[in-house]
Amino acid sequence: MDKQQIALHGDELYRALREFRTLAPLTERAPAISIDDAYHISLQMLQQRLERDGERVVGKKIGVTSKPVQDMLGVFQPDFGFLTDAMEYPDGADIPVAGNLIQPRAEGEIAFRLKKDLQGPGVTEQDVLDATESIMPCFEIVDSRIRNWEIKIQDTVADNASCGVYVLGENAVDPRDHDLPNLKMTIWKNGEYHSEGLGSAVQGNPLTAVAWLANTLGEFGIPFKAGEVILSGSLAPLIPVVAGDEMRLEIGGIGGCSCRFV
């Protein structure tokens, strides 16, 4: 795919984001699109957000890491994208749906906050642990600019890893004090138990997922930076949400996180 095509697709995804509408899958319209093409399309979309809207990159995300999510979406390898300051909501926030999201789904995750830079290749789980200041509970509200979530890996990478917004729990803890693969997350929707999952759902260990992301972005010359938030992937199946829904999660030994859709 040439630079002009990449720019056109990145710009159309940006317009879809701002106009709250969906597009036919890129893989349907450009079957030869590669993951490398998709990543550069996502960078074009991101550049529009930074230049036109004045947003700042504050972190990165990995998605489609757990088997339940892969089975649900039919995408069988992780995706990756960028977080901006405009995507973050505080714990307990009211999150507007109309004029903000298109077809949102909630994911319960473990978020990492970094205390020093980290860049692949060659990043290990221990490197991630050494670079992490704290971890905290998180809801990522994924959203797709692709029609009816009809995505292949190239579609979701191009669409900034289907990122919508995210909510960070207030309680941050030292990851060295916890057995990350065995952390148990429980999720409630509208006050009723919905699902649960372990840290091991994310590539066996959230540290493994974050190391993978550091190394994958490192191939494109993109570092993790001190102070950034890294979302490590969903521990349970995606949960469709609409205005009026309330979501809450608890991670044993760490704390909780909640949000409401309005």
Side-chain angles (χ1 to χ4, degrees), residues 115-164:
K115 61 183 179 182
K116 62 181 183 181
D117 296 355
L118 198 61
Q119 183 166 359
V123 171
T124 66
E125 287 88 347
Q126 187 61 49
D127 293 331
V128 172
L129 192 62
D130 292 343
T132 300
E133 176 183 277
S134 59
I135 58 172
M136 63 215 76
C138 172
F139 270 120
E140 183 189 354
I141 313 306
V142 293
D143 198 20
S144 181
R145 274 60 63 178
I146 303 300
R147 179 188 65 207
N148 297 325
W149 283 93
E150 296 168 1
I151 58 173
K152 295 181 179 178
I153 185 65
Q154 297 94 327
D155 295 298
T156 181
V157 169
D159 189 25
N160 195 33
S162 306
C163 197

Side-chain angles (χ1 to χ4, degrees), residues 216-256:
T216 299
L217 291 178
E219 294 175 6
F220 296 96
I222 304 293
F224 288 173
K225 296 183 179 180
E228 286 189 335
V229 170
I230 311 298
L231 306 188
S232 63
S234 183
L235 307 188
L238 308 186
I239 305 168
V241 291
V242 297
D245 285 338
E246 296 184 16
M247 298 298 305
R248 181 171 65 88
L249 65 79
E250 292 284 338
I251 301 178
I254 293 183

Side-chain angles (χ1 to χ4, degrees), residues 197-215:
L198 296 174
S200 58
V202 185
Q203 294 190 340
N205 187 333
L207 292 171
T208 305
V210 175
W212 178 91
L213 182 58
N215 290 323

Side-chain angles (χ1 to χ4, degrees), residues 30-209:
I33 184 174
S34 67
I35 292 178
D36 188 74
D37 293 333
Y39 176 76
H40 285 97
I41 291 168
S42 79
L43 286 178
Q44 174 68 20
M45 180 189 183
L46 175 68
Q47 196 63 31
Q48 296 296 315
R49 298 184 74 159
L50 303 183
E51 292 180 357
R52 295 190 183 192
D53 305 325
E55 297 181 19
R56 296 180 297 107
V57 173
V58 296
K60 281 90 177 182
K61 65 151 285 186
I62 182 173
V64 200
T65 50
S66 67
K67 189 175 187 304
V69 174
Q70 291 179 349
D71 291 343
M72 180 178 287
L73 297 179
V75 174
F76 299 101
Q77 64 189 94
D79 62 9
F80 48 92
F82 297 87
L83 307 177
T84 75
D85 58 327
M87 299 178 188
E88 185 175 333
Y89 283 82
D91 192 8
D94 287 346
I95 300 176
V97 175
N100 189 38
L101 299 167
I102 304 169
Q103 43 188 352
R105 299 178 176 185
E107 296 184 331
E109 305 194 13
I110 297 170
F112 289 65
R113 189 178 297 280
L114 303 182
K115 61 183 179 182
K116 62 181 183 181
D117 296 355
L118 198 61
Q119 183 166 359
V123 171
T124 66
E125 287 88 347
Q126 187 61 49
D127 293 331
V128 172
L129 192 62
D130 292 343
T132 300
E133 176 183 277
S134 59
I135 58 172
M136 63 215 76
C138 172
F139 270 120
E140 183 189 354
I141 313 306
V142 293
D143 198 20
S144 181
R145 274 60 63 178
I146 303 300
R147 179 188 65 207
N148 297 325
W149 283 93
E150 296 168 1
I151 58 173
K152 295 181 179 178
I153 185 65
Q154 297 94 327
D155 295 298
T156 181
V157 169
D159 189 25
N160 195 33
S162 306
C163 197
V165 300
Y166 65 98
V167 181
L168 295 178
E170 293 182 350
N171 196 38
V173 301
D174 189 332
R176 297 156 197 80
D177 296 335
H178 298 273
D179 179 5
L180 300 191
N182 288 313
L183 288 177
K184 182 178 179 181
M185 173 181 288
T186 306
I187 302 174
W188 294 265
K189 181 178 181 180
N190 299 324
E192 296 185 356
Y193 168 84
H194 186 280
S195 53
E196 61 188 41
L198 296 174
S200 58
V202 185
Q203 294 190 340
N205 187 333
L207 292 171
T208 305

